[in-house]
Amino acid sequence: MSISPIDVARTDGGPQWVEAVATSAGVEVWWDEPRPHEGGRRCVVRRLPDGTRTDALPEGWNARNRLVEYGGRSWRPLPGGGLVFTNWSDQRLYRLDDGGTPMPLTPEGPSRYGDLYLPPGRAEVWAVRETNDERDLVAVPLDGGGVRVIVKAQHFLMNPRISPDGRKVAWIGWDHPNMPWDGTELCVAPLHDDGTAGPYEVVAGGPSESVTQAEWRDADSLYAVTDPTGWWNVHLVPLGGGPARNLTPMESEFGVAMWKPGLSTFAVAEDGRLVVVHGTADHRRLGVLDPETGELREVGGDATHWSATVSVAGGKAAAVKGTPYTPLEVTLVGLDDGAHEVVSPPKPLPDRALLPAPETVTIEGVHAHLYPPSGAQAPGPYVIFVHGGPTGSMPLLLDLEIAYFTSRGIGVAVVNYGGSTGYGRAYRERLRHQWGVVDVQDCAKVARGLVERGVADANRIAIRGGSAGGWTTVAALVHSDVFAGGVAHYAITDPESWAAETHDFESRYLDGLVGPLPETRQRYTERSPLLNASRASGPCLMLHGLEDAIVDVSQAQRFTAELDKHGKEWALLTFPGEQHGWRREETIVAALEAELAFYGLIFDMETPDVPPLTLKGRA
């Protein structure tokens, strides 16, 4: 028996945002979930205290947005029921009352809205508005009365919050060339009678300190996750110039890389306690922090991962947990008794015997998770999985995409290479100016380590990844001789052209990953897989969405043309209607089947249950 691609598609992804709402009947929980079988839309779900679940967003509506292209917080439940959300097809803000029809709150046009926030006591929604690469914080009345600019400050903005007395506004901002994990500023400004704010004061952060989230404690101080020690810890930040106090002085990450404005790793309960998500990429925990005593009590149970979304109401936290054997689940956790109640619907799962038992390892200082193959005699074929970002990580979590391969006798090693998040700033900055070098070397170290352990066949090791992981895949093919082939999903293949083509959010990302242009152009030339395609150590399968605004499909087309020019083996599959990542069921199935067929070719394995794949250049 083995896991089917439909199994993978039906459990792909998980809840992005959660919200707990206290009512007279108990705690309601809201979340959004992917619907691959409904064209890949994200549907908002409401679960009442009696356990009844309903879709809060009608079919045909998609609660997503393109803020910084990766999307920000896309919905909020309204007091008493109803919903305010951003819709993917037109990027407008909508209000939806119970039993009603979505009503647009913003005009048609080029603007996008995200990182939605409902300021208490005000009949409006606050958001980050993005128009032609310019951003501001805006307020939109819930009756559709127009858009008001609250403040325009840094080039990038997130985390708008009103103070408890309604007299101040806080937000987090940063400017090029920084990314939000490099350096951000926590700002506070007075809120005037006309609804605008300013001038502002920077109360935490800076060019080399990253503030990821802030919430008001009272009118004179905020809690903020920031990393002056090299670890994202929770701090109490007073207004008026006093020093911030680290409430969690430990080598544990209480924050994440803010690829999506609105991610949250802590929430403030009614009694003043904080619910915090923390740990490393190997184990993300859920805890309750007493900010007065510093006591941190773990309530995460046996979960190995808690996602970066948490909300508190009525003495309970709503959060998203997972393990290597259970999918991401929306869970209510009692702050006092630590009791867990899974509130999202169960997903159909394959037999437990088909799921790999992962192991967390460190090989020559590189963090990795090993997923052994089922029924295979060692040494056997292995695939190195490379995460995107590159400022990101892959958690220890059930991933049926991995199990799809391990159930067919192909082992998987997930590599959290130097540059990954979840291990402190020093590990993250191992990749500074070394992208295409350290990531490639670390993946090769893990591959060789598997051979030395006697589990992997040195001649049957492949590498695969998406986005920045796709870059590492093709870079490893041309800059090492370790890998028999590579599979690159929506990959960057030439850094200089990508920097010129890509969207505003990442347009200066390579300043830190490779170096500023034009001063360091030689590095770009030396590391470019496109310009070194003749050195590829094995075949390459490229897969790309035709509507990708982050990495244009031309990156794949130019690379495969160079492979063809130099007599290398390759295949390119493109998918209409897909952006940066697979959301449609039919795409997920097709991509998995093509990848398995590719491994069958390069590992000399039979793959009779998937359509054959033809490699150009193969005799």
Side-chain angles (χ1 to χ4, degrees):
M1 291 182 62
S2 56
I3 292 171
S4 76
I6 287 291
D7 292 333
V8 180
R10 295 281 165 88
T11 58
D12 187 62
Q16 181 73 71
W17 321 105
V18 298
E19 187 105 5
V21 178
T23 72
S24 58
V27 177
E28 286 187 7
V29 186
W30 299 61
W31 67 90
D32 65 295
E33 61 186 31
R35 298 283 176 86
H37 57 291
E38 295 179 19
R41 79 176 182 119
R42 294 202 72 91
C43 180
V44 181
V45 180
R46 180 184 187 183
R47 194 260 195 183
L48 301 177
D50 64 5
T52 304
R53 286 186 294 263
T54 59
D55 286 356
L57 194 64
E59 192 169 347
W61 296 86
N62 186 357
R64 286 179 61 205
N65 57 68
R66 294 182 63 172
L67 182 66
V68 298
E69 289 299 346
Y70 290 98
R73 177 75 194 237
S74 58
W75 58 268
R76 292 279 185 177
L78 295 173
L83 183 71
V84 60
F85 69 97
T86 58
N87 186 49
W88 174 255
S89 64
D90 58 8
Q91 297 295 304
R92 298 170 74 185
L93 264 172
Y94 285 81
R95 173 176 179 164
L96 173 62
D97 294 321
D98 280 347
T101 300
M103 177 186 75
L105 299 178
T106 54
E108 295 180 351
S111 294
R112 309 166 179 180
Y113 302 83
D115 200 1
L116 306 188
Y117 166 69
L118 293 176
R122 303 174 77 95
E124 56 190 21
V125 56
W126 289 6
V128 178
R129 179 177 64 176
E130 183 177 75
T131 310
N132 300 325
D133 295 337
E134 298 291 333
R135 292 159 200 88
D136 45 22
L137 299 181
V138 299
V140 181
L142 293 175
D143 63 4
V147 179
R148 181 184 79 251
V149 175
I150 301 171
V151 70
K152 184 174 177 61
Q154 294 92 338
H155 191 63
F156 297 99
L157 305 164
M158 65 181 181
N159 197 102
R161 297 292 187 270
I162 193 170
S163 61
D165 62 3
R167 300 175 63 183
K168 292 181 282 290
V169 179
W171 70 88
I172 296 169
W174 70 98
D175 290 299
H176 282 316
N178 270 354
M179 298 298 287
W181 41 86
D182 296 324
T184 59
E185 297 174 328
L186 174 57
C187 304
V188 174
L191 183 61
H192 306 302
D193 291 342
D194 63 359
T196 63
Y200 69 84
E201 174 188 7
V202 177
V203 299
S208 58
E209 180 182 334
S210 168
V211 186
T212 63
Q213 184 187 348
E215 307 292 343
W216 288 95
R217 176 180 183 266
D218 52 39
D220 299 310
S221 60
L222 299 104
Y223 296 116
V225 171
T226 185
D227 69 343
T229 66
W231 293 84
W232 276 314
N233 291 164
V234 182
H235 292 70
L236 179 61
V237 180
L239 303 187
R245 179 162 62 94
N246 191 344
L247 303 179
T248 57
M250 60 186 76
E251 292 187 351
S252 183
E253 297 280 49
F254 289 75
V256 295
M258 296 301 290
W259 285 97
K260 295 173 180 275
L263 294 175
S264 60
T265 51
F266 77 94
V268 184
E270 296 94 325
D271 61 6
R273 291 180 291 176
L274 307 185
V275 178
V276 294
V277 176
H278 73 103
T280 69
D282 300 329
H283 190 176
R284 298 284 290 175
R285 298 173 169 87
L286 186 75
V288 178
L289 174 68
D290 185 329
E292 303 303 322
T293 66
E295 178 190 5
L296 178 59
R297 181 168 52 87
E298 302 298 342
V299 294
D302 63 357
T304 57
H305 180 75
W306 292 85
S307 298
T309 180
V310 61
S311 177
V312 181
K316 296 184 178 182
V320 179
K321 70 175 181 181
T323 77
Y325 308 105
T326 55
L328 292 170
E329 298 171 316
V330 182
T331 306
L332 271 179
V333 181
L335 301 192
D336 295 323
D337 59 12
H340 287 206
E341 180 188 5
V342 175
V343 298
S344 53
K347 291 185 175 181
L349 291 177
D351 189 286
R352 173 74 173 262
L354 294 175
L355 302 179
E359 175 189 4
T360 297
V361 299
T362 303
I363 297 175
E364 295 186 47
V366 182
H367 299 283
H369 305 148
L370 306 185
Y371 294 81
S374 299
Q377 185 174 357
Y382 257 80
V383 179
I384 301 295
F385 270 46
V386 192
H387 65 74
T391 312
S393 58
M394 287 184 71
L396 192 67
L397 191 63
L398 173 67
D399 187 334
L400 288 190
E401 187 174 53
I402 291 174
Y404 176 76
F405 297 111
T406 60
S407 69
R408 288 168 166 78
I410 301 173
V412 170
V414 169
V415 179
N416 285 328
Y417 50 86
S420 300
T421 57
Y423 306 101
R425 183 181 278 261
Y427 191 79
R428 196 165 74 239
E429 292 198 341
R430 282 188 58 221
L431 201 61
R432 187 162 187 83
H433 294 162
Q434 295 297 312
W435 194 42
V437 179
V438 165
D439 48 331
V440 170
Q441 292 173 348
D442 284 1
C443 289
K445 285 177 183 177
V446 172
R448 293 189 184 102
L450 296 177
V451 174
E452 291 171 2
R453 288 170 173 239
V455 299
D457 179 347
N459 296 314
R460 293 195 293 166
I461 301 177
I463 185 168
R464 65 92 76 179
S467 190
W471 151 273
T472 302
T473 294
V474 293
L477 281 182
V478 304
H479 294 306
S480 78
D481 58 1
V482 175
F483 302 104
V487 178
H489 300 249
Y490 33 94
I492 299 165
T493 65
D494 182 61
E496 184 168 356
S497 61
W498 177 75
E501 297 164 353
T502 195
H503 60 130
D504 186 42
F505 177 63
E506 293 184 88
S507 62
R508 300 291 300 277
Y509 194 8
L510 297 192
D511 283 31
L513 290 175
V514 181
L517 287 167
E519 301 94 311
T520 61
R521 175 164 286 123
Q522 186 62 28
R523 292 181 198 164
Y524 287 74
T525 301
E526 291 171 353
R527 298 179 196 175
S528 169
L530 175 69
L531 300 181
N532 294 277
S534 63
R535 299 167 56 184
S537 61
C540 186
L541 169 62
M542 308 286 290
L543 306 102
H544 220 104
L546 292 179
E547 294 182 11
D548 193 334
I550 294 171
V551 180
D552 190 78
V553 68
S554 61
Q555 290 276 320
Q557 292 166 337
R558 292 196 296 263
F559 183 65
T560 53
E562 281 298 304
L563 291 175
D564 193 65
K565 175 181 174 182
H566 294 286
K568 302 296 182 178
E569 298 176 2
W570 61 275
L572 171 60
L573 302 181
T574 58
F575 299 96
E578 291 285 10
Q579 297 95 41
H580 199 64
W582 315 136
R583 290 179 173 83
R584 298 181 178 185
E585 183 176 290
E586 60 271 25
T587 305
I588 295 168
V589 169
L592 277 172
E593 291 182 338
E595 188 167 347
L596 179 60
F598 178 80
Y599 296 141
L601 291 174
I602 67 170
F603 293 154
D604 195 22
M605 297 173 58
E606 293 186 359
T607 55
D609 54 341
V610 299
L613 178 73
T614 300
L615 291 177
K616 304 291 178 63
R618 171 161 286 212

